[in-house]
């Protein structure tokens, strides 16, 4: 089948006939399309005239394809696993059911593609399409290839971890929280935005966990008295800037953490995206671009990507040609300034069999890319300029992990193919 071109007339008529848009909406979308380019449907989306679901439904009607809402539990896993997770994520296409002569496939676009041609050839079956949203297809892919672990809810009366304490405190808009340590017993507390102090019992290992989650770490030995410093608290899916006060006495310790409201909140990718990235890694994809619209966030986040995205614990190295701030809990290698010294240092890193590396280097990527790419099987590369990005793409980097700081200050993560692929 030939590639299908989607024009505006039919989709516009369909959406108008069902009262989704007006003639004025059509004109506005056409004006936007003339100025910005792209497809008519994307113009409708950009102007907020329709939802993604309404557009997908209209496209399905135009091409006489059913718009489906498949339940993950209803798909045939053996059929779905005809393809690799990397292939399914790349094409946002998944076979879900097979009969004697037909292969039923969900797609996010009504246009016939090379991926569908490939499926038809490999299976020897007639391919029947069902149109679904990209979100729904990603959900199906995760169900088909990832083992789902049920989360056990933590009630208020059960001992909480440090991560639980911080998550609850932030959910109540608390800016001040703390821990009291007494002869091995730990109590967490936080001050609500109404000034009330709420407490919760903590797990027995919470004090030890704090040494791991707070940077700089408080450690076990400190002189009696009041100690203060600025730090960063790793709490589940977020890295939070805090002002720390530690009061040490013979009978125990008190900690107070005041959340820095001005600092960006560094949140990890959503679980579905992390699962998708891990599926790509298990499929043999090992190199990822990392980009962001906020350089400050990028500086703080880039070298923590292995811990935020890969199966813990992970042995990772942060590679840079300049010192990395706030690196107390990172294994950092600052490379020599000369080309020969840099090459020697990179080759030396290979001997340690790191599982992942985060890399940000100045200069011409062509001079060091092949050596950098061999440091670890998983590489998160943050390009310093457009030339480095282009070279990485020409060298085979297909996937880009991007963190956008939204108006609310929180991060919006995406994992997509690099532009031009």
């Amino acid at each position: 089948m030939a590639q299908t071109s989607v024009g505006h007339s039919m989709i516009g008529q369909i959406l108008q006939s069902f009262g989704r848009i007006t003639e004025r909406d059509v004109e506005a979308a056409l004006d936007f399309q003339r100025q910005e380019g792209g497809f008519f449907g994307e113009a409708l989306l950009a102007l907020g005239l329709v939802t993604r679901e309404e557009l997908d439904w209209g496209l399905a009607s135009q091409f006489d394809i059913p718009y489906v809402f498949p339940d993950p539990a209803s798909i045939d896993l053996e059929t779905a696993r005809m393809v690799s997770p990397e292939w399914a994520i790349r094409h946002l296409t998944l076979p879900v059911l097979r009969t004697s002569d037909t292969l039923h496939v969900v797609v996010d676009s009504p246009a016939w593609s090379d991926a569908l041609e490939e499926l038809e050839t490999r299976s020897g079956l007639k391919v029947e399409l069902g149109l679904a949203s990209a979100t729904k297809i990603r959900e199906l892919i995760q169900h088909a290839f990832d083992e789902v672990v049920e989360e056990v809810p933590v009630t208020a009366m059960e001992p909480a971890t440090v991560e639980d304490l911080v998550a609850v405190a932030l959910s109540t808009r608390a800016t001040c929280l703390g821990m009291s340590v007494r002869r091995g017993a730990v109590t967490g507390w936080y001050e609500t935005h109404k000034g009330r102090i709420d407490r919760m019992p903590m797990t027995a290992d919470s004090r030890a966990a704090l040494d791991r989650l707070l940077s700089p770490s408080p450690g076990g030995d400190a002189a009696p008295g009041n100690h203060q410093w600025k730090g960063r608290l790793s709490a589940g899916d977020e890295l939070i800037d805090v002002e720390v006060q530690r009061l040490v006495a013979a009978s125990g310790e008190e900690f107070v953490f005041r959340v820095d409201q001005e600092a960006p909140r560094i949140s990890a990718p959503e679980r579905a995206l992390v699962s998708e990235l891990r599926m790509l890694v298990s499929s043999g994809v090992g190199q990822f671009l990392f980009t962001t619209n906020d350089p400050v966030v990028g500086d703080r986040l880039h070298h923590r990507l292995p811990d935020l995205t890969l199966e813990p614990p992970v042995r990772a190295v942060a590679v840079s040609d300049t010192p990395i701030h706030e690196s107390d809990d990172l294994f950092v290698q600052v490379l020599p300034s000369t080309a020969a010294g840099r090459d020697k240092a990179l080759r030396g890193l290979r001997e340690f069999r790191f599982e992942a590396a985060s890399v940000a280097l100045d200069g011409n990527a062509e001079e060091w890319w092949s050596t950098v790419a061999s440091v670890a099987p998983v590489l998160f590369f943050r390009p310093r300029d457009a030339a480095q990005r282009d070279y990485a793409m020409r060298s085979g980097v297909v996937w880009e992990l991007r963190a956008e700081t939204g108006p609310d200050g929180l991060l919006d993560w995406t994992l997509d193919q690099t532009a031009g692929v």
Side-chain angles (χ1 to χ4, degrees):
M1 295 178 64
Q3 179 82 15
T4 305
S5 175
V6 181
H8 80 271
S9 57
M10 182 66 74
I11 185 65
Q13 291 171 5
I14 291 172
L15 292 172
Q16 277 187 269
S17 67
F18 285 93
R20 297 296 195 273
I21 59 174
T22 65
E23 185 63 38
R24 179 175 295 179
D25 294 335
V26 171
E27 293 301 322
L30 288 173
D31 286 342
F32 184 92
Q33 188 182 20
R34 281 191 287 268
Q35 295 175 19
E36 304 294 336
F39 294 103
F40 178 74
E42 298 300 324
L44 290 173
L45 282 178
L47 294 172
L49 299 174
V50 296
T51 65
R52 169 58 68 179
E53 288 74 17
E54 288 173 332
L55 178 61
D56 289 343
W57 175 85
L59 290 171
S61 299
Q62 176 177 349
F63 291 96
D64 196 25
I65 298 173
Y67 189 67
V68 296
F69 303 88
D71 182 351
S74 68
I75 69 173
D76 178 42
L77 294 181
E78 184 179 351
T79 300
R81 291 167 183 169
M82 289 174 56
V83 300
S84 70
E86 193 273 341
W87 188 96
I89 296 169
R90 179 193 291 258
H91 299 291
L92 275 182
T93 299
L94 188 70
V96 294
L97 184 65
R98 176 169 43 189
T99 62
S100 59
D101 61 352
T102 304
L103 184 65
H104 296 272
V105 181
V106 289
V107 294
D108 74 329
S109 168
W112 188 264
S113 67
D114 292 340
L116 296 174
E117 193 76 47
E118 179 184 344
L119 278 180
E120 199 167 56
T121 301
R122 285 171 53 185
S123 67
L125 302 174
K126 175 186 176 184
V127 169
E128 289 286 347
L129 301 184
L131 196 65
S133 69
T135 300
K136 172 57 69 173
I137 295 175
R138 290 178 186 273
E139 180 184 347
L140 296 177
I141 294 171
Q142 183 174 349
H143 174 78
F145 295 102
D146 195 26
E147 294 182 2
V148 179
V149 178
E150 292 291 336
E151 291 188 30
V152 178
V154 178
T155 67
M157 296 306 295
E158 294 178 346
T161 64
V162 176
E163 292 95 332
D164 295 332
L165 170 65
V166 178
V168 172
L170 292 180
S171 71
T172 62
R173 292 183 289 167
T175 59
C176 183
L177 60 149
M179 287 171 47
S180 299
V181 183
R182 298 288 186 277
R183 299 186 185 280
V186 184
T187 301
W189 60 269
Y190 57 93
E191 184 178 18
T192 70
H193 69 285
K194 294 183 178 180
R196 186 181 73 244
I197 301 295
D198 285 348
R199 296 181 296 169
M200 59 175 65
M202 306 287 289
T203 56
D205 64 347
S206 292
R207 176 60 185 86
L210 187 63
D211 285 338
R212 174 173 50 86
L213 298 173
L214 180 62
S215 177
S217 169
D221 298 323
N226 197 325
H227 307 265
Q228 301 181 32
W229 68 94
K230 290 186 177 181
R232 185 185 56 257
L233 189 58
S234 175
D237 290 341
E238 291 199 69
L239 299 175
I240 301 162
D241 288 284
V242 290
E243 294 183 0
V244 185
Q245 281 189 275
R246 180 191 186 190
L247 186 61
V248 180
S251 57
E253 297 174 283
E254 290 286 340
F255 288 92
V256 176
F257 310 105
R258 295 190 180 277
V259 179
D260 185 349
Q261 297 295 307
E262 300 300 321
R265 288 176 61 177
I266 306 299
S267 56
E270 294 180 356
R271 189 164 303 175
L273 186 147
V274 170
S275 296
E276 197 168 282
L277 186 144
R278 290 179 183 176
M279 281 191 286
L280 291 173
V281 170
S282 67
S283 299
V285 177
Q287 297 174 351
F288 300 88
L289 286 177
F290 170 66
T291 56
T292 178
N293 65 338
D294 188 334
V296 175
V297 170
D299 289 343
R300 301 188 59 212
L301 189 60
H302 171 220
H303 294 293
R304 305 189 181 279
L305 291 176
D307 288 332
L308 292 175
T309 60
L310 302 179
E311 192 73 35
V314 57
R315 293 179 56 249
V317 58
V319 180
S320 177
D321 45 20
T322 57
I324 300 173
H325 299 295
E326 303 175 0
S327 61
D328 293 357
D329 55 342
L330 297 175
F331 187 79
V332 179
Q333 288 295 288
V334 178
L335 301 186
S337 58
T338 64
R342 169 184 285 177
D343 186 69
K344 181 179 179 181
L346 287 172
R347 293 182 185 279
L349 289 176
R350 293 185 298 193
E351 300 300 319
F352 294 91
R353 305 298 193 271
F354 287 105
E355 298 158 11
S358 55
V359 178
L361 298 173
D362 285 327
N364 184 354
E366 187 173 0
E367 297 176 355
W368 41 256
W369 176 261
S370 61
T371 313
V372 161
S374 64
V375 167
V378 180
L379 181 75
F380 296 97
F381 172 60
R382 186 183 179 200
R384 292 274 172 84
D385 52 41
Q388 286 190 357
R389 174 189 173 88
D390 290 344
Y391 187 83
M393 291 168 59
R394 291 198 306 272
S395 299
V397 181
V398 174
W399 294 94
E400 179 173 10
L401 182 63
R402 183 165 179 81
E404 294 270 356
T405 303
D408 57 1
L410 299 181
L411 293 182
D412 178 24
W413 291 84
T414 57
L415 175 64
D416 289 305
Q417 294 181 72
T418 54
V421 173

